[in-house]
Each structure stands twice: as structure tokens, then as C-alpha cells.
Amino acid sequence: MWGFVVIAAVGGFYSARFFTKKEHGHKENYAAFKTDALSNKENIIPVLVVGSGPSGLAAALYGARSGFYSVIFEGPKPGGQLMGTSYVENWPGLPKKLGPDLIKSLREQAQEFGAVDVAQTIKAIDISQWPYVVTTENDVKLHALTIVLATGAAAVLLDVPGAEKYMSWDKGISTCAICDAPFYKEKDVFVVGGGDSAAEEAMQLAPYAKKITLLVRGETMRASAVMQERLKTYKNIFVQYNSKIVAIKGDENRMKEVDIDVKGVVATVASDGIFLAIGHAPNSSLVKGQVAMNKAGFIEVEGRSQKTNIPGIFAAGDVSDFKYRQAGVAAGDGIKAALDAVEFLRMIGFNDTLAEKLEANFFTSEGGLGRTPLTALANKAEFLKAIESSEMPILVDIYTSPCPTCEQMLPILESLASEFADRCKFYKMDFKKLEELEEKYSVATVPTFLVFKKGQIIARGSKVMSLKDMRSLLEKALQG
Ligand code: NDP
């Protein structure tokens, strides 16, 4: 029945373990995973999911619904790429739903089955021992029996002079039209790329910008025929084939013009902004050198499963998918990864009786990793009362709805509200209810975060910030 025995060569633990090879792929020697040693470990998580896009949330949903304690670590951009999209029209069975709303439903569905959502980023994974040691950004050490890597992919940036300098929504280069299009009213902008994302970015800009030129490097667009047809219905969208940006120029604060090469002839053209849609690169650096991946960094999975080359570690969604990269496919991957994880847990003998015995050793999201909802300020009077009467510093999150970036920041703020509970109060306020106060407090975009002490602003931030940056902004403000 069994084929030959191989000794794997990644890491101390891995090299010591035996794998028996069957007809297709390898099969783990489950006996090597000693569950009796688990009682000495703390912060145990049977199914640890890294990433909170459709793949991560679907994995947690299936893990939890199968009866295994599943915890999602949301990562620096909770919800992933769908948080920056408008309507998702191709989720089977769902005619039309906003990306952030789809993520919200998925998250709530996973939570209903007991999945726990933690607004933290994982900074390290050590596979040299089992249970695998996973470290959060705030240095909490976790012991994972299985890991689902669902860290997604990030937008590829242009590699030309000036691109790095102006790579920020307020300097002119963006990768998210739905977030930043309103800042380009009556402006001339470029969208770089020829895929569906580029077409979508152009259409999201169309209601705002005066002129949008799609710069396509080849002779044809890669976008689907339906998207290309839809583009033709917009009078302010133009497509320039055989074109590429070779330099971006401007002053200290903003880009002003772009050198464009069209069939070898370079011209300098004035421009207010550039939106990039030139593909995505996998976020796989956490396990680089530990888990097998291809040259481009996509994690390799075995056959029709989501198994990586490391037993008990699975990959799902865009981090392992260089071809399809669809939200629905990612969710399907997440489901398969959870089923693979559940099979692994059962095979190593992790059952209900053992889970009950170990419950006291399980990770809980208390102690700085929980979430506290922000108190809503209903009107201007409540806003003024909160900032003037509080003894403690307060943070006010100025948001509006719908606003994907506001949704994206909310879990981060809720997690900080938990962490800073004894030092700062957290509120949220709808931008529309500020009345004329936006001028007084210079609120020009949403979300904007204002930190007040005794009625005075002591710090401010805006748009998407990582948990780390937001925490450091707050720490500095509270110390000062
Ligand atoms: P794609 O990989 O499909 O397209 C990337 C585009 O960027 C290509 O046209 C490519 O050119 C171009 N490109 C790459 N590098 C450069 C560069 N350095 N300079 C200039 N141009 C460059 O990525 P997308 O993000 O568009 O789409 C990813 C997947 O998501 C696809 O499967 C797509 O169908 C799907 N999607 C679906 C949507 C929908 O259905 N509503 C919306 C958005 C995405 P070239 O063609 O010459 O290689």
C-alpha cells in the first residue's frame, strides 16, 4: 500500500519527521504529531487563520462550523482587497453587493458559528516545532495546531523614476479609485493597466474626472469583452495602446506631469494623478523559506487540495492563486483549506474530548486583543460635549457611509479602543452630522481621526492606516 519513505529537509522539526509517499502526493505520518504534549502549551488555536479576505473568512466559517475553535487574525488591511471595490456582481447567487458589505456578511456568518476575529497582524510563523509558534504584532505567542495562510496579494507598483516619491493618494498615485476618485473632480488622470481592474478603476473615476486615459502597454486589452464594451459607453474614458509611463515628475508635494512612451516616442504630458492597476503580488513573506512557493512567491498547494508541503499548514486565496484571483474562488479555497485542516486535526486525534480538556489552554481574545465598539456621537452638540468635558483624551473617528476605507479602519479602531481603554475614550461621528465643524477641525476627507485633550486637537490621522501606525500615532499623542 504505502510507497517509499522520504525525509523532508525544511527546518529541524520538519527534517526529523517522516512522510510516506502514496500514489499521488505525500501523506503525513500523523503519529508524529503528539497531542499529549499539548497540555503544557498556552494560547492554543486548533485552526489559526491568517488574513480576513473571502478565503480567510470562509476558512474560519467552515472550521468553526465543523466544531473546531477557529481564530482569524485580520492583518493590516482587514477584509482584504474587496474592501476597496464597489459592487461585486459575480458572486454566485448574489446579484450585486458592495465589497465591504460582502465581507461584513462573511465575517458575521463566521462569528455566528463561533469563529473569533482578532484585529491583529501576525508578524512571525515558526514551523520548526509543532504546535506551530505564531507571533502577533504585539508579541503574543500562539500555538497553532493548523494554520490557514490566507494573506492575499498586494497591488504591484510601477518601477519608474518618481513612482516611489509620489506613491500616496495625496501625492498623486493611487491603487484604489473607489477610495480616491472624489479627489479628482474635473481632473486629468491616467489609469495604467489593461485588465479588468484597470477597466473598473477607469469607470469608478468617470463620474468625477474630466478625462481618463487608460495606458495599455500592449496592442490589446486583457480585460473581458463585456468590460471593454462597457468602457466604450463613457465619453470621458480614452484608451491609449502601446503606451507606458517612463517617468513621473512634480514638485516636493505632488506629481505634476508624466513622461509617456508611445511606440518609442516619449512625450511629457501634464497630469493630476495616476491610478495603478497592473496586477498583484502574493503576501507570502511570512513563510518565505519555510513553505514551498513558486518563483513569483505564490504558495504551492498540492493537487486539488489546499495543502502546502508542510503538514497542518494550508494556503487559500490569492496568496496561492496566480491564475483565477476571484473572490468566489478564494472563498472556495478557504472552504477546502478548512476541510483539509479539519481532516488533519481528526487524523492526529484532536477530538471533542481532547478539545474540552484543553479548553483552559486555548487562546482567548481578552487582554488587549479584544474589540470595543466605538460610541456614536449623534450630533454636533454631543460631539462638542464629548471633546470639552472629557478628563481623558478622546479619539473621534469621522466616517461616512458608504465608505470602504472607513469600514476598513473600524476594526482597527475597535481593537485600539480595547487596548487603550484606561487611557483614551473612542467615539465615532458621521461626517454629515458635523455641520460646519468640518472647517473648524479641517476635516477634508473620510475617515479622519482626531485626538483631543481638554478640547484641543493633539493628533490627527486619515485614510487607511495600519494598526501599528495608528497605535504609534496614539502612543505619541498620549505621551506628549
Ligand atoms: P491582470 O493581471 O488581469 O492585468 C494586469 C494588467 O496590467 C495587464 O493588462 C498587464 O499588461 C498590465 N501590466 C502589468 N505590468 C505592467 C507594467 N509594469 N506597466 C504597464 N502595464 C502593466 O490583473 P487585474 O488586476 O486586472 O485582474 C486580476 C484578476 O481579477 C483577473 O482574473 C480579472 O479578470 C479579475 N477581476 C475581475 C473584475 C470583475 O469581474 N469585475 C474586476 C477586477 C479584476 P499585459 O496585458 O500586457 O500583460
Side-chain angles (χ1 to χ4, degrees):
M1 280 284 277
W2 303 112
F4 56 88
V5 174
V6 292
I7 300 175
V10 185
F13 152 76
Y14 188 36
S15 56
R17 198 138 23 82
F18 292 90
F19 297 88
T20 50
K21 193 163 170 107
K22 252 187 142 184
E23 235 174 304
H24 299 289
H26 65 245
K27 189 163 173 59
E28 297 84 352
N29 176 8
Y30 294 108
F33 298 86
K34 307 277 182 224
T35 51
D36 43 0
L38 291 177
S39 53
N40 301 327
K41 303 287 180 197
E42 286 187 348
N43 284 340
I44 292 174
I45 300 179
V47 181
L48 188 154
V49 180
V50 194
S52 55
S55 54
L57 294 171
L61 164 67
Y62 265 67
R65 194 166 178 272
S66 304
F68 292 92
Y69 183 50
S70 304
V71 183
I72 311 150
F73 288 85
E74 290 189 330
K77 290 187 177 167
Q81 293 173 63
L82 275 193
M83 297 300 283
T85 60
S86 56
Y87 285 103
V88 177
E89 297 175 326
N90 48 7
W91 186 275
L94 201 67
K96 206 173 174 185
K97 195 160 174 127
L98 281 171
D101 288 348
L102 182 57
I103 288 294
K104 193 164 171 251
S105 314
L106 279 170
R107 183 185 289 127
E108 286 168 0
Q109 198 179 2
Q111 285 169 341
E112 258 171 49
F113 286 104
V116 172
D117 208 17
V118 181
Q120 269 285 329
T121 297
I122 297 300
K123 75 170 182 193
I125 293 181
D126 175 7
I127 66 155
S128 66
Q129 52 188 305
W130 186 87
Y132 301 120
V133 179
V134 177
T135 311
T136 68
E137 202 181 33
N138 57 347
D139 289 320
V140 176
K141 294 242 181 284
L142 309 160
H143 291 104
L145 309 192
T146 67
I147 300 174
V148 176
L149 299 165
T151 42
V156 174
L157 307 179
L158 267 186
D159 184 17
V160 298
E164 211 180 317
K165 181 171 178 185
Y166 300 112
M167 185 60 238
S168 157
W169 65 276
D170 56 344
K171 293 183 175 165
I173 308 179
S174 167
T175 55
C176 178
I178 191 165
C179 312
D180 300 330
F183 303 113
Y184 289 86
K185 273 188 192 140
E186 291 305 306
K187 307 276 188 197
D188 267 4
V189 295
F190 290 109
V191 173
V192 185
D196 282 329
S197 298
E200 207 172 60
E201 295 273 292
M203 288 187 275
Q204 274 154 2
L205 282 158
Y208 301 96
K210 185 169 71 190
K211 184 181 174 195
I212 302 132
T213 309
L214 260 169
L215 298 176
V216 179
R217 68 178 174 183
E219 287 192 352
T220 53
M221 281 189 77
R222 186 194 287 235
S224 57
V226 60
M227 285 292 228
Q228 294 194 44
E229 281 309 308
R230 220 176 274 174
L231 277 180
K232 290 178 190 160
T233 65
Y234 291 85
K235 290 201 170 69
N236 55 347
I237 300 181
F238 303 87
V239 183
Q240 173 75 66
Y241 292 99
N242 300 304
S243 60
K244 61 179 184 206
I245 289 180
V246 288
I248 303 165
K249 301 166 183 168
D251 60 23
E252 269 320 293
N253 302 318
R254 253 200 101 84
M255 58 159 283
K256 304 268 181 209
E257 51 191 29
V258 181
D259 286 352
I260 301 175
D261 176 331
V262 182
K263 289 189 176 175
V265 180
V266 178
T268 302
V269 187
S271 171
D272 298 304
I274 300 170
F275 287 78
L276 301 178
I278 56 173
H280 288 83
N283 296 321
S284 56
S285 56
L286 254 184
V287 289
K288 196 171 176 201
Q290 302 194 87
V291 172
M293 48 186 79
N294 71 9
K295 269 192 197 152
F298 289 92
I299 298 174
E300 285 177 346
V301 291
E302 188 190 299
R304 286 179 59 79
S305 79
Q306 301 304 131
K307 293 179 184 179
T308 68
N309 63 321
I310 305 296
I313 301 190
F314 310 91
D318 286 11
V319 73
S320 59
D321 179 3
F322 52 86
K323 185 170 177 189
Y324 300 105
R325 291 182 277 168
Q326 298 295 299
V329 176
D333 281 1
I335 293 170
K336 284 163 64 193
L339 294 176
D340 288 340
V342 164
E343 181 190 40
F344 175 87
L345 288 169
R346 290 201 174 116
M347 294 306 283
I348 62 166
F350 188 82
N351 53 25
D352 287 353
T353 320
L354 186 55
E356 246 171 60
K357 256 198 218 164
L358 291 171
E359 212 176 323
N361 303 40
F362 279 6
F363 163 81
T364 62
S365 59
E366 280 136 30
L369 292 185
R371 284 233 186 107
T372 306
L374 272 51
T375 308
L377 297 169
N379 50 43
K380 188 174 150 187
E382 283 193 15
F383 176 83
L384 292 172
K385 191 173 164 213
I387 62 171
E388 277 155 20
S389 63
S390 175
E391 283 298 309
M392 210 186 253
I394 74 165
L395 181 147
V396 187
D397 165 27
I398 316 268
Y399 71 99
T400 194
S401 183
C403 160
T405 32
C406 304
E407 295 272 354
Q408 207 167 327
M409 287 306 292
L410 195 58
I412 289 176
L413 295 167
E414 287 180 344
S415 122
L416 290 172
S418 229
E419 194 178 322
F420 287 77
D422 54 346
R423 298 160 66 195
C424 182
K425 287 185 185 169
F426 284 68
Y427 294 95
K428 60 180 179 182
M429 171 99 190
D430 190 335
F431 177 78
K432 294 183 218 93
K433 295 185 179 153
L434 272 181
E435 298 169 36
E436 77 276 14
L437 284 182
E438 67 264 26
E439 271 185 34
K440 180 170 178 195
Y441 295 111
S442 308
V443 180
T445 183
V446 284
T448 288
F449 321 106
L450 302 176
V451 187
F452 292 91
K453 192 173 173 185
K454 296 186 177 145
Q456 300 300 313
I457 292 187
I458 54 167
R460 63 189 303 140
S462 63
K463 305 287 270 185
V464 176
M465 294 174 70
S466 68
L467 179 68
K468 198 172 165 190
D469 289 348
M470 196 73 208
R471 184 189 286 121
S472 123
L473 178 140
L474 208 50
E475 283 286 6
K476 270 194 207 146
L478 300 184
Q479 278 163 16

